[in-house]
Amino acid sequence: RHYILFHSIMVGGSVSKEKHRTSDAASNREMLFPKPKSTKSTSSKGRSTTKKNSLRENNASATEEAKSITDSLLRTKSMMKQELERVSEVSQAIDSDGQILNEATTEHKGLDNVVKNARGVLGVLKRQDMQDSVVLW
């Protein structure tokens, strides 16, 4: 029973995530490429428009589509600019962290030499202490 319940929760969760991901992609697509409005019209007598009106409609439709594409490109440009700024900030943060790490490495190497020298001096002091203790006995 627990396996079935767990499985249904896991499958339901992944389906929910997939639906959410799909809806996000669809909303982004709609934001970038909105559907053009229909401009088709008919005459008052209920029949098709004349050739001139048809050409005007085609031109109006093409103009509207061009405007839609232009708007979409402007939105894309804005999104790309924001993403570029974000990536630039991340790059600066990485460079800054790299400099900090290099400074820490240099300091660590310097302290390593100090520790080695201190060990040598401590060894000398221990030997001197042993010699002094032997002399005092």
Side-chain angles (χ1 to χ4, degrees):
R1 285 189 224 176
H2 295 293
Y3 172 77
I4 293 171
L5 178 63
F6 178 73
H7 181 70
S8 64
I9 289 171
M10 293 306 293
V11 170
S14 64
V15 170
S16 174
K17 287 179 186 178
E18 184 63 30
K19 284 181 183 177
H20 182 66
R21 197 173 318 139
T22 304
S23 67
D24 283 349
S27 65
N28 287 341
R29 195 176 308 109
E30 286 176 10
M31 185 180 76
L32 288 173
F33 304 107
K35 295 180 181 175
K37 299 172 189 167
S38 177
T39 58
K40 191 172 185 179
S41 64
T42 57
S43 68
S44 60
K45 295 181 183 178
R47 56 188 178 151
S48 298
T49 58
T50 63
K51 287 185 179 181
K52 283 185 179 181
N53 286 340
S54 179
L55 285 174
R56 284 184 195 148
E57 281 183 9
N58 288 341
N59 287 341
S61 177
T63 302
E64 187 175 320
E65 189 172 336
K67 286 180 183 178
S68 174
I69 291 170
T70 302
D71 291 343
S72 175
L73 288 172
L74 289 173
R75 286 189 299 274
T76 303
K77 179 183 174 183
S78 173
M79 289 172 68
M80 291 176 80
K81 182 179 178 182
Q82 290 172 354
E83 186 66 15
L84 184 62
E85 289 171 356
R86 186 188 70 78
V87 169
S88 176
E89 290 173 6
V90 169
S91 177
Q92 289 174 354
I94 289 172
D95 289 343
S96 173
D97 290 349
Q99 289 175 349
I100 291 170
L101 287 173
N102 286 336
E103 291 170 5
T105 302
T106 303
E107 186 175 341
H108 183 268
K109 288 178 182 176
L111 290 175
D112 191 37
N113 289 333
V114 169
V115 169
K116 286 180 183 176
N117 291 337
R119 281 185 187 152
V121 172
L122 185 60
V124 170
L125 287 174
K126 283 184 179 179
R127 274 179 271 164
Q128 185 67 40
D129 184 42
M130 289 183 94
Q131 288 175 357
D132 290 345
S133 66
V134 169
V135 171
L136 289 177
W137 268 92

